[in-house]
Amino acid sequence: MVDPLTSVVTLLQPKMSYTKIVTGAGRWGVRGKLEEAPLFCCVVLEGKIRYTVDELQLIAEAGDFLLIPSMSTFSASSFDVPLEDEWQSEPVVLENGEHRNGSASAEADVRSLVGFCQLTSPDATLLLTLLPKVILIRGDVRLTALVQLAIDEARSQRPARDVVLERLLEVLLIEALRSSNNAVTSPGLLRGLADTRLANAIRRIHESPEEPWTVALLAKESALSRSTFFQRFSTALGVTPMDYLLSWRMALAKKFLDQKKSITVVAALVGYSSSSTFTVAFTRHTGMPPGQYSRLRQNAEAENSAEAPAMS
């Protein structure tokens, strides 16, 4: 049985590219747009932090794990709301390497471990639409144990601390994605998987993307009427069943094309009766025909291979 979350995470290929300890003292606030990486995650080690992500407001407390899987406009601030002149564009880097918000001389009352995660999949932008805009995990036993490990490691000065923190955040990321029952999430795949009826249909899409799915057939998999299924699915995931199916098929198509499978084979694998109908759908969805996509990917791989010896 195919696990939809496993298949999404496998295609996303997440890798933590940058981590830092961020502390706060007094009243403070930072705001801007998350542009460093497709995924932002934060483990609150001490204190409380107010977050606003687009228009969603939440408070993250010690032991919480926050994941924002999109380029979002955000703000973070102390629990006591700062005055307008107390907002800043970015933290100050202290001598010990910590990034400080608020007073640089006072004792920190907020401490967090922040990570920026790159997605090495060529289809990362498309796949991000399958995830909620914000994930806040609280009270999960397994995640709490991992958070405690991160807290202990962040406080230590042991060798390879930064490497260990990066790996811990990668594990935390995957654990957070599959702990959706304990998460506060906006619409997306995780909310859909938390609904046992919808999860059946989502699982079948991932198991057999080549099947000629319709809303009626997927509703039958969920043991719901067509109209109830359509409304419930669209509300939970933020996209219609057919849009979700198309997104998943196109993500898989890119993976198969990267594996140098022929267009005819790829078309059959993702549920199209002919290479021409697949080409039309792929072009409409990605902005280029599959043949051009394959050539661009192969040229990029060749350039990277040619540059590798010079960089070593």
Side-chain angles (χ1 to χ4, degrees):
M1 183 179 292
V2 173
D3 172 20
L5 185 56
T6 296
S7 53
V8 169
V9 171
T10 300
L11 274 182
L12 283 172
Q13 302 170 41
K15 180 175 176 55
M16 207 60 61
S17 61
Y18 180 54
T19 60
K20 60 185 178 182
I21 302 293
V22 181
T23 58
R27 283 199 308 237
W28 56 270
V30 291
R31 53 192 170 196
K33 189 174 180 66
L34 293 173
E35 296 177 333
E36 295 189 52
L39 287 173
F40 166 86
C41 55
C42 171
V43 179
V44 182
L45 308 176
E46 299 173 17
K48 297 180 180 180
I49 303 174
R50 290 184 182 272
Y51 276 99
T52 301
V53 183
D54 293 336
E55 297 181 356
L56 178 65
Q57 297 186 14
L58 51 89
I59 296 175
E61 305 174 352
D64 289 353
F65 182 88
L66 179 72
L67 176 66
I68 306 173
S70 64
M71 298 296 187
S72 302
T73 301
F74 89 110
S75 69
S77 71
S78 55
F79 187 70
D80 292 331
V81 179
L83 302 175
E84 189 57 38
D85 62 357
E86 292 172 322
W87 288 85
Q88 56 197 92
S89 58
E90 60 184 26
V92 175
V93 181
L94 303 181
E95 291 183 1
N96 63 3
E98 292 183 353
H99 294 244
R100 172 60 62 87
N101 293 311
S103 173
S105 57
E107 186 71 23
D109 48 35
V110 174
R111 179 170 277 101
S112 62
L113 171 62
V114 169
F116 296 93
C117 185
Q118 298 291 343
L119 305 174
T120 56
S121 164
D123 207 24
T125 301
L126 173 62
L127 289 171
L128 283 172
T129 65
L130 305 180
L131 299 176
K133 185 173 288 293
V134 179
I135 301 169
L136 175 64
I137 307 288
R138 174 176 295 157
D140 182 87
V141 176
R142 288 173 57 84
L143 202 70
T144 299
L146 289 168
V147 168
Q148 188 57 53
L149 283 174
I151 292 172
D152 293 342
E153 192 64 34
R155 289 173 174 169
S156 76
Q157 295 299 323
R158 290 191 289 266
R161 183 186 76 156
D162 291 345
V163 175
V164 172
L165 286 175
E166 285 183 10
R167 297 299 173 268
L168 276 172
L169 276 177
E170 288 174 7
V171 175
L172 277 164
L173 165 64
I174 296 172
E175 187 63 34
L177 289 174
R178 67 183 187 180
S179 298
S180 57
N181 287 337
N182 295 325
V184 178
T185 67
S186 53
L189 176 62
L190 300 188
R191 185 177 286 185
L193 291 176
D195 184 323
T196 54
R197 293 285 187 92
L198 297 181
N200 290 332
I202 296 169
R203 190 173 295 111
R204 292 292 289 128
I205 287 173
H206 284 252
E207 283 178 345
S208 304
E210 76 285 356
E211 291 290 325
W213 294 113
T214 63
V215 174
L217 288 173
L218 291 170
K220 185 177 180 180
E221 294 290 339
S222 297
L224 296 168
S225 70
R226 185 187 184 282
S227 59
T228 299
F229 169 75
F230 183 89
Q231 183 61 43
R232 196 153 148 179
F233 190 103
S234 302
T235 300
L237 278 84
V239 295
T240 67
M242 292 297 99
D243 283 341
Y244 181 88
L245 174 64
L246 178 62
S247 294
W248 185 244
R249 283 174 167 172
M250 292 301 105
L252 290 177
K254 286 189 175 183
K255 184 188 77 167
F256 294 143
L257 289 169
D258 287 345
Q259 294 172 350
K260 299 181 174 56
K261 296 184 187 299
S262 71
I263 293 175
T264 301
V265 170
V266 174
L269 288 172
V270 296
Y272 289 87
S273 58
S274 69
S275 57
S276 59
T277 55
F278 165 67
T279 297
V280 170
F282 189 93
T283 304
R284 183 183 298 121
H285 203 75
T286 65
M288 69 178 74
Q292 181 183 354
Y293 171 83
S294 294
R295 288 191 296 274
L296 288 174
R297 291 288 295 168
Q298 290 171 18
N299 291 340
E301 288 180 9
E303 290 176 5
N304 291 337
S305 298
E307 291 175 0
M311 294 172 63
S312 59

